[in-house]
Amino acid sequence: MRTCKFFTTFAAEMHNTLLVDIILPLAITDVYTYRVSDATLLDAHKTIHGTAQVPIGCRVLVPLGKKSIIGIIYRKHEGEVSENVKVRDVLQIVDETPIVNPQQLRLWEWLSNYYMCTLGEVMAAALPSEIIDDNYSAATTQYIQLAPAYLAIESQKQLLKDLQRAKKQEQLVRDFLRMAQNNQVERRVLLEQSGVSGAILRTLIDKNIFLEEEHPISRLRQYNGDTQTPHALDNQQYRAIEEIRDSWKEKNVTLLHGVTSSGKTEVYIHLIEDVLMQGKQVLYLVPEIALTTQLTDRLQAVFGDKLVVYHSRFSNAERVEIYNEVKQASPKSSPKGKEFNCEETPHPPQGWGGGRLILGARSAIFLPFSNLGLIIVDEEHEPSYKQQDPAPRYHARSAAIMMAQWYGAKVLLGTATPSIESYHNVLSGKYGLVEMTERFQGLQLPRITMVDLRHQYHRKEMYGHFADPVVFRIREEIARGKQVILFQNRRGYAPFLQCPNCGEVPKCPNCDVSLTYHKANHFLTCHGCGYNQSSMSHRPSLITHCPKCGAAWKLHGVGTERLEEEIQILFPNARVARMDLDTTRRKDGCQTIIDRFAKHEVDILIGTQMVTKGLHFDGVSLVVVLQADMLVNRPDYRSVEHAYQMLEQVAGRAGRTGERGDVMIQTFDVNHPLYEYLRQHDYKGVYGQQLEEREIFKFPPFTRMIMITLRHRDMNRVEKTAHALMIGLRTIFGERVSSVIVPQVSRRNNQYVRQLRLRVEASANVMRAKQLLHQCMDVTLHQSAYKGTMISIDVDP
């Protein structure tokens, strides 16, 4: 335990004092200890010396240096504080009731220990910033009420009689009486439906006939439609549910391995219904925000207002209100006036007291669940579940499995292409397994065809970046009224530009990467740090011509934006849409594109990995993969696994209803072994081949991997620090520590990057290894020659 380094007041003599350890939303190693004074308790209307009246999980305002900051009470204890111990006082107890429950704190502790980060970093990721900053305010609207003097029927009749000569005022009163519920109508609605001006309403308010009050309203969309029972199950789905329930009798985690379009979502819905009927909560995790878009309508049709959607595209204020809804608490308002509680979330949906279904991306694991009964991790193989930067660099699937233990909940991992780690856990007996090997209603899996780009380029049968057979099939499918998905996992117009005369390539000044050209906005941008050269700059010619020799740039590579342009030239009558980060930045960007495609308002959808997973469109007959070699040949031991998963998933978007779908994959290496596995839809073949390789080269799941990344603005400093740390670690771990790695992007945001990789046997004591790693890092960084180097740790990268 560390006591606060700063000092304002301290006891004149030794006495018993209530002390609290506070988590602050900062990357500091330890919690800080503060004192809760009698004055603070009195100010918060607490019982003097009553430790039970200062609950763990509440927010407090504490001094830190010359400023003050909001923290969370982590532990409390009564102890003796001598005059020589410098402990600062808590300035204010913000909440009467905890906003963070014990299970959440346990999750924070586990994330901090397992992923080697601080509790403060976890807190900053877990709570919406408006909770941490204590600046949440409810959205409000104006309501009109009839003054108490006119609540009686006789008084209303007399009022209307008195207003007979003021026809518009009389009309407004009559409209109010017709529309009012509980003697109130929203001001905006009253004026819209009555057609009377605001000046007339103001006149009636000035006459004390109407009263105007401000009421809080929810920022969240309310579901007002009817609900329906889940669809009937076919034999395969019914059997899968029975097997899942049987599996859960012995194991808490079950893997549902179902081919694409086998009906896994309907299985989820029936299992969710069972849990909600018990009054428990369900967490339904999806890897992409785009998936929440299409799933929301489907789930709301069954569960109505029991569904809560949560992801990072919501504003901070919206996230606070969702946090409140999940918290399911209704504490009384604090005299301090700004307490964070459910009373600030106005008009909670009907059925609030029962079970709730929370649909969200990975950050939804941080919500304040109280009675979690089931966690579904859909598309469990997806790398999107792993947080990259900043810390905590957690994996939502692993966190969900740990959470389930503490809540006594069950976990269902669903996918058509399981991660190698999950399938290995099945075969080792750690997880249960249920398989769905057929598509719903007996539909066939799509045919997969390889298109040899070497042959096509040699015969000069390419149209831009499309091979002749691909162009022919797209034209054929559109003529039949079908839809086509084009998959290219790179956005922008061209990945880089190059001068044909001098070879100059525009590069980011902050990172060692080339700038990507975006034609729509006419700028060059770095997809790492966000730097861009705009055509609106003082040197617009930089966008079109080489600054060294003046020659026009030559485009290299292809992104989704360029493909969209080529498709519109090849098929001028086709309706084309693009789905990537650039077109979905707005909150409703995904929803708009998906809705248009689902309504057959789009013939050809071009997209990045957003279009590969979980989406259901009944009109798609053809999927085209433009540059499969980019996926297969990445310098990563997971490249074959991830390539198979992505290609099999995007293939699964074809032929989901009616006739069999087709997939065309353009590649320069048609003989790569991966493609034969794809043709056969042979996941087990890929798994066996990859597992054999990983065992030979000591990669997960046979080892646990930790990546240590060092950063500094001085290249010599980071090189020396990395080398010193490598020597120190090798004295402990030997050859389990790699040599210093220079990553592909060796400079990011003006900081040079070096890495070390530590591999520990799966059977070893990993927590002990992490302790030794921390100790070695502390020893190295305390040496003056290496100070200032930033180190981040990624466990299970």
Side-chain angles (χ1 to χ4, degrees), residues 334-437:
S334 165
K336 302 307 292 180
K338 232 186 170 185
E339 181 183 357
F340 170 80
N341 58 50
C342 284
E343 289 182 357
E344 293 189 38
T345 302
H347 311 306
Q350 206 171 14
W352 167 246
R356 301 288 280 178
L357 167 60
I358 294 87
L359 171 68
R362 63 172 180 254
S363 59
I365 65 167
F366 294 117
L367 290 171
F369 302 100
S370 57
N371 59 343
L372 196 58
L374 171 63
I375 303 177
I376 295 171
V377 185
D378 196 16
E379 310 294 356
E380 65 84 25
H381 65 279
E382 269 296 323
S384 305
Y385 282 123
K386 183 72 161 71
Q387 164 76 8
Q388 300 300 327
D389 280 308
R393 297 172 180 85
Y394 66 97
H395 199 298
R397 181 186 62 214
S398 301
I401 291 170
M402 295 304 299
M403 287 170 61
Q405 295 182 25
W406 306 323
Y407 285 96
K410 302 297 182 183
V411 179
L412 184 63
L413 309 177
T415 179
T417 53
S419 65
I420 285 180
E421 287 82 359
S422 292
Y423 205 76
H424 184 69
N425 283 331
V426 166
L427 297 186
S428 63
K430 190 174 179 180
Y431 298 168
L433 174 66
V434 175
E435 294 184 297
M436 300 172 69
T437 58

Side-chain angles (χ1 to χ4, degrees), residues 237-249:
Q237 291 169 326
Y238 179 80
R239 176 184 54 79
I241 287 178
E242 292 302 309
E243 290 181 3
I244 290 168
R245 289 168 176 159
D246 289 341
S247 174
W248 280 339
K249 292 176 183 177

